[in-house]
Amino acid sequence: MKIGIIGAGNIGGNLTRRLTALGHDVSVANSRGPETLTALAQETGATPVTVAQAARGAEIVVVTIPLKAVPDLPSGLFDGAADGVAVIDTGNYYPRQRDGRIAAIEDDGLTESRWTERRLGHPVVKAFNGTFAQDILDRPLPAGDPGRMALPVAGDDEAAKRKVRDLIDALGFDTVDAGGIEDSWRQQPDTPVYGLRDGVEAVEKALAQASPERTPAFCG
């Protein structure tokens, strides 16, 4: 599968490592330009590209950048992507630590991924936002293993969500359908499932226990 990754930080870098190891054709981009990705490309065989090129021909695109950087992405980013491209949003809103206050999230009640989706101009599937980056490398297990971790996955496009869930399964993790993007607050920072390293049953329970109230630590 052709996969584009926008963002080469901890999550983006480790997804590049795993997905190339699985045989996918991965293009990776960051805000500093492809010349800064030489080492990652040499290590993994991924193709370093500009952000504007990252989605070209891609069946899946992973957007894994700070929330505050999403509005700076080029317009028409997905114009050259494959038909039915699934866009994974791994982002989180950290108003005090990084992103500054975003009124549409705090005052208007948009989920973080709905805000991102509107700025991208394309539906997203929320996944990996509460996953420790090192776990992508260290904790994959075969299907059926009782110790296999499960990740929540939210999105409105059922076909795109299935594509993402199948990819996560191939990476060595179970998934739990966390509903649509309007439900994705259940996996935002400081919810019970955020950072949870456990199986399907525990993830389902944690999603059910979530509160829509934003905690003070994650208010601007």
Side-chain angles (χ1 to χ4, degrees):
M1 190 184 304
K2 186 165 176 52
I3 298 174
I5 298 180
I6 300 172
N10 293 333
I11 293 286
N14 284 351
L15 283 174
T16 299
R17 292 177 176 93
R18 289 295 320 286
L19 291 169
T20 51
L22 289 173
H24 295 289
D25 177 4
V26 178
S27 295
V28 61
N30 67 8
S31 60
R32 295 179 295 138
E35 66 278 2
T36 66
L37 296 169
T38 303
L40 182 62
Q42 289 176 341
E43 175 192 347
T44 63
T47 303
V49 296
T50 66
V51 171
Q53 296 168 327
R56 290 182 186 172
E59 298 168 66
I60 292 179
V61 177
V62 183
V63 178
T64 181
I65 62 175
L67 214 68
K68 66 179 181 179
V70 170
D72 297 329
L73 291 172
S75 61
L77 184 60
F78 306 106
D79 289 351
D83 290 343
V85 60
V87 178
I88 299 176
D89 168 33
T90 77
N92 293 302
Y93 174 48
Y94 300 124
R96 299 189 180 191
Q97 302 92 331
R98 183 189 66 195
D99 297 314
R101 191 177 192 278
I102 297 177
I105 292 175
E106 297 202 35
D107 299 337
D108 300 340
L110 289 186
T111 63
E112 296 166 14
S113 284
R114 183 69 80 199
W115 182 88
T116 296
E117 182 177 87
R118 289 184 178 180
R119 272 136 197 86
L120 292 177
H122 194 284
V124 302
V125 177
K126 190 176 190 73
F128 296 109
N129 72 292
T131 306
F132 292 98
Q134 194 61 32
D135 288 350
I136 295 171
L137 300 182
D138 294 347
R139 297 182 71 115
L141 288 170
D145 190 297
R148 204 182 205 215
M149 281 176 51
L151 310 183
V153 180
D156 298 332
D157 183 330
E158 291 300 325
K161 187 157 60 173
R162 171 45 57 194
K163 190 181 293 186
V164 171
R165 294 182 70 183
D166 287 347
L167 185 72
I168 293 172
D169 178 64
L171 284 166
F173 303 93
D174 288 333
T175 59
V176 171
D177 189 335
I181 291 300
E182 290 303 313
D183 304 305
S184 64
W185 57 267
R186 293 182 181 276
Q187 65 195 77
Q188 291 177 172
D190 222 19
T191 58
V193 83
Y194 183 78
L196 181 66
R197 290 162 151 156
D198 214 327
V200 169
E201 185 175 340
V203 167
E204 290 174 340
K205 182 178 179 181
L207 288 167
Q209 291 174 335
S211 167
E213 297 299 318
R214 187 171 291 279
T215 60
F218 291 92
C219 293

